[in-house]
Amino acid sequence: MKLKLKFIIPLAILLAGGIFFYDYYSSAKIQEVPYADFYAQVEGGTVSSAKIAEDEIIFVDAAGQERKTQNPDSPTLKEFLLRSGVSVKSEKSAAALVSLALDILFYAIFFAVIIGVFRKFISPNSFKVVKKTGVKFSDVVGMEDLKRDMAQVMQIMKNPEQWEKRGVRLPKGILLEGEPGNGKTLFAKALAGEASVNFIPAKATDFESMFMAIGPLKVKLLFAKARRRAPCIVFIDEFDGIGTRRNYSGSAIETENTRIVTALLNELDGFEPTKGVLVVAATNSVQALDPALIRPGRFDARFKVPYPDMAARVSLVQKYTQAKKRAASCSDQKLAGLFDGFSCAKIESVLNKAALLASQAGRAEFTLEDVEAAAARVD
């Protein structure tokens, strides 16, 4: 659209300017006579034709020469000329043509912008399909019970017909609940990677729009794409941002939220068991979600993603310090003990900050003091 406007605007300006100057210079070469003389010639029958413009009248006299006079803007002028046997044409002036061209240009740009903005909000490319996430369960520290529970789900996604014969269908949805930074997104990517299926990530803000009804339309667009790319995992992060309890207060925001939730319900209910589409949603607050969304039959499985335990924290320390140098006092067990109640993301941030503090102090290795100082600064 930008490329088209880049050429359309200068072309329209040149065209309008050309019309104006052509009209101006061609009119300037014609001799002007008083209106009284023109009127007398019409009465005398010596005027054969006349062109009535906005500000002037161009006519042909008895000698066959073009002359011009002022247009009195009289409502009876045209009738007078026609009664006198004069061939009359009405034409717009250059200024009127330029004004018309600019009006057309304005509306063309206006509608082009509106269409462009609208297409941006409902573009088929709004949700990218990731064919290979590059993440496996081995990249996810902890969550061993959850990994075991997901093993069968992966088998059903790969061979839905085989499991259908046994009377087992693919769950429609899996809900992951846990504090931010504990690896819900990473786990969803790993699930898609282990199952070797397409992965479509989305978050609550992807459904927000300045236009009403765009949110529900995007929900339909997302699930239509998922069906075409099945087997597929749809991952919705910050699910409580769009799946909150419906409120019929009548406000625009609440009305839009209700429509989005209703669209989600319709899409989840519309899945065929063998379509191979699994919805994984992540939330920090299950209590905020609409009860109709998370009932059995829609989100069949709900899993808590807790803070990493001692064993998981030891593994995280080992993972995040591979490229870092640490003092002998910073053992795996010692650091893991300091990180009790920390999320996976916070552990990584604290260790990175500790290494940075050591570097600022001119030391190659970070110490426990650096770790404690870093923990106090990282929220």
Side-chain angles (χ1 to χ4, degrees), residues 86-258:
V86 179
S87 175
V88 180
K89 291 183 179 179
S90 298
E91 64 178 25
K92 293 185 179 293
S93 66
L97 291 175
V98 170
S99 177
L100 177 62
L102 292 176
D103 286 344
I104 293 174
L105 177 63
F106 169 78
Y107 285 112
I109 295 174
F110 175 77
F111 285 112
V113 170
I114 293 297
I115 292 172
V117 171
F118 188 74
R119 287 186 62 185
K120 179 180 178 182
F121 281 110
I122 63 169
S123 170
N125 297 321
S126 297
F127 302 101
K128 301 293 184 181
V129 178
V130 180
K131 294 183 178 180
K132 293 182 179 180
T133 62
V135 182
K136 299 291 185 178
F137 280 158
S138 58
D139 298 309
V140 181
V141 176
M143 305 189 200
E144 299 305 324
D145 292 339
L146 187 54
K147 293 176 186 178
R148 284 192 293 270
D149 290 335
M150 290 299 101
Q152 191 175 46
V153 172
M154 290 186 296
Q155 294 301 320
I156 298 174
M157 289 196 72
K158 292 179 178 179
N159 304 289
E161 294 82 5
Q162 178 182 344
W163 287 89
E164 184 184 10
K165 294 176 182 178
R166 304 181 189 181
V168 179
R169 66 169 176 82
L170 178 71
K172 290 184 178 180
I174 296 174
L175 188 64
L176 302 178
E177 180 191 10
E179 295 300 319
N182 275 345
K184 297 186 293 294
T185 302
L186 184 65
F187 178 81
K189 290 180 178 179
L191 180 59
E194 290 285 347
S196 299
V197 298
N198 291 321
F199 181 74
I200 304 180
K203 53 185 180 298
T205 52
D206 292 334
F207 302 93
E208 294 177 355
S209 171
M210 66 178 69
F211 300 109
M212 291 291 289
I214 293 296
L217 188 60
K218 283 189 174 183
V219 171
K220 295 179 182 178
L221 179 68
L222 170 63
F223 285 97
K225 177 174 285 190
R227 291 188 185 95
R228 292 195 302 270
R229 298 303 181 95
C232 176
I233 290 178
V234 174
F235 175 65
I236 305 177
D237 199 6
E238 305 165 358
F239 193 51
D240 46 289
I242 59 170
T244 52
R245 294 174 181 269
R246 284 169 288 182
N247 187 329
Y248 300 93
S249 63
S251 67
I253 295 176
E254 295 297 344
T255 300
E256 182 71 353
N257 178 73
T258 298

